[in-house]
Amino acid sequence: MSKFRFTLNLFALAVFTLTVASLSQAQTRTWVSGVGDDLNPCSRTAPCKTYAGAISKTADKGEISTLDPGGFGAVTITKNITIDGTSGAGFGSILASGVNGVVINDSATATPGTIVVTLRNLSINGAFTTAGSGIRFTSGKALIVEDCDIAGFTGTGTAGKGISVDLTAGPKNVFIKDTNITNCTVGVRIATTTSFVTAVLDNVNIDAVGNQVAGTSGVELAAGGFAVIRDSVISRFQHGINNSGGANSGARVIGSTLFSNANGINAGASAAHVSDSQFMGNTAGIALTAGGSVLTGCDNFFAGNTNDVTGGALTNQCVK
């Protein structure tokens, strides 16, 4: 009998140990700290050191929070998750010198193209290196970026983007709010090879790596890229907003300022809509090319541009 009880006790202990281990690997909320350790369970009292270390111990649809200031490293995300750098005591910094700061890619999972990722209160710094982008979204359902600072990604090609959305299927959604993007070759690029991606930029300030450097864009809407740009400022690029995707791309610009760009809006062959916006100090406020059109209200303001409009005429929808 005693041997039987001893065996049951061992079995109960093993089950308990496995249960605790399982829970520690899949907490709804985990924590990181500048003085943490990735061998820790990422709890409030025993935080991890990096976002990459915490993500494996965070449950699907969970959240990683930041206890105190620190550099928490680049991370690849393959599940539904929120990473919060935390305002106040915390400061979530990612130094991504020569690499992508955050990659969102669920293509290798059982349900590709389904994850929703939120990035909040993060500082992502590329250190002016020519490889990597701040945030690279290649597979998932939606990306939400709030209250972030992204800077110093100066490469070309697949690199050099503050936020790069380059999906193989749509429709998908991107929401960027209260965010500063500075010193990047391209501030935000939106593209998909199938269907479309709809992005909303709300109170986003984008300033160039240089002054009207060739090949730079504040917002690039490539094939399948559509964006509403509201209450934002875009300055000192070759193209403030570049509709490079032709008829399969488009911008809706509301209450925004395009300042000191070679082209405030390069309409390309797309159809852009603009209202209540300011075009100031650009070489061309709006540049039209064959097949392109810009629908405008009567509430836009043009001042200090070499030419307010080039390549054609705006389509005026002024209703008084």
Side-chain angles (χ1 to χ4, degrees), residues 16-193:
F16 176 79
T17 302
L18 288 172
T19 301
V20 170
S22 176
L23 288 172
S24 69
Q25 293 296 314
Q27 301 170 82
T28 302
R29 182 184 297 276
T30 55
W31 301 84
V32 295
S33 167
V35 293
D37 190 323
D38 283 348
L39 296 177
N40 288 339
C42 303
S43 64
R44 174 68 176 78
T45 54
C48 283
K49 177 71 172 176
T50 68
Y51 291 134
I55 201 165
S56 63
K57 301 173 185 177
T58 309
D60 186 62
K61 300 182 179 66
E63 180 169 333
I64 301 173
S65 296
T66 306
L67 277 171
D68 49 40
F72 300 103
V75 61
T76 296
I77 299 172
T78 60
K79 67 176 78 172
N80 297 284
I81 203 163
T82 295
I83 298 180
D84 192 345
T86 315
S87 58
F91 176 74
S93 175
I94 296 173
L95 179 60
S97 180
V99 297
N100 296 304
V102 180
V103 175
I104 298 102
N105 182 1
D106 69 353
S107 61
T109 67
T111 55
T114 62
I115 65 172
V116 177
V117 173
T118 299
L119 304 173
R120 184 184 300 126
N121 295 313
L122 296 175
S123 172
I124 306 174
N125 190 341
F128 285 83
T129 54
T130 57
S133 293
I135 299 169
R136 190 153 188 247
F137 181 25
T138 60
S139 180
K141 180 180 179 180
L143 169 64
I144 302 162
V145 180
E146 299 176 334
D147 294 290
C148 289
D149 291 292
I150 303 169
F153 294 91
T154 58
T156 57
T158 59
K161 317 296 191 296
I163 300 174
S164 177
V165 178
D166 191 9
L167 299 161
T168 57
K172 307 296 181 184
N173 295 298
V174 175
F175 181 60
I176 307 167
K177 180 177 174 61
D178 299 333
T179 290
N180 298 311
I181 302 172
T182 57
N183 296 318
C184 296
T185 304
V186 176
V188 178
R189 183 178 189 269
I190 309 292
T192 180
T193 56

Side-chain angles (χ1 to χ4, degrees), residues 112-315:
T114 62
I115 65 172
V116 177
V117 173
T118 299
L119 304 173
R120 184 184 300 126
N121 295 313
L122 296 175
S123 172
I124 306 174
N125 190 341
F128 285 83
T129 54
T130 57
S133 293
I135 299 169
R136 190 153 188 247
F137 181 25
T138 60
S139 180
K141 180 180 179 180
L143 169 64
I144 302 162
V145 180
E146 299 176 334
D147 294 290
C148 289
D149 291 292
I150 303 169
F153 294 91
T154 58
T156 57
T158 59
K161 317 296 191 296
I163 300 174
S164 177
V165 178
D166 191 9
L167 299 161
T168 57
K172 307 296 181 184
N173 295 298
V174 175
F175 181 60
I176 307 167
K177 180 177 174 61
D178 299 333
T179 290
N180 298 311
I181 302 172
T182 57
N183 296 318
C184 296
T185 304
V186 176
V188 178
R189 183 178 189 269
I190 309 292
T192 180
T193 56
T194 306
S195 191
F196 63 90
V197 179
T198 302
V200 175
L201 282 67
D202 186 1
N203 190 31
V204 180
N205 298 314
I206 308 174
D207 186 63
V209 68
N211 187 25
Q212 300 183 7
V213 174
T216 62
S217 298
V219 177
E220 181 183 359
L221 300 174
F226 295 83
V228 174
I229 302 168
R230 179 175 61 198
D231 296 334
S232 298
V233 178
I234 304 173
S235 58
R236 302 195 305 141
F237 290 92
Q238 180 183 19
H239 306 299
I241 299 170
N242 185 18
N243 289 109
S244 65
N248 193 30
S249 67
R252 308 293 182 259
V253 185
I254 306 165
S256 296
T257 299
L258 286 300
F259 171 71
S260 194
N261 303 284
N263 299 311
I265 296 178
N266 183 44
S270 74
H273 298 175
V274 184
S275 65
D276 194 24
S277 294
Q278 298 78 46
F279 298 82
M280 298 183 292
N282 305 286
T283 304
I286 297 175
L288 290 159
T289 55
S293 65
V294 174
L295 185 67
T296 177
C298 55
D299 49 2
N300 296 305
F301 178 74
F302 293 83
N305 305 296
T306 304
N307 295 283
D308 291 339
V309 182
T310 62
L314 304 181
T315 302

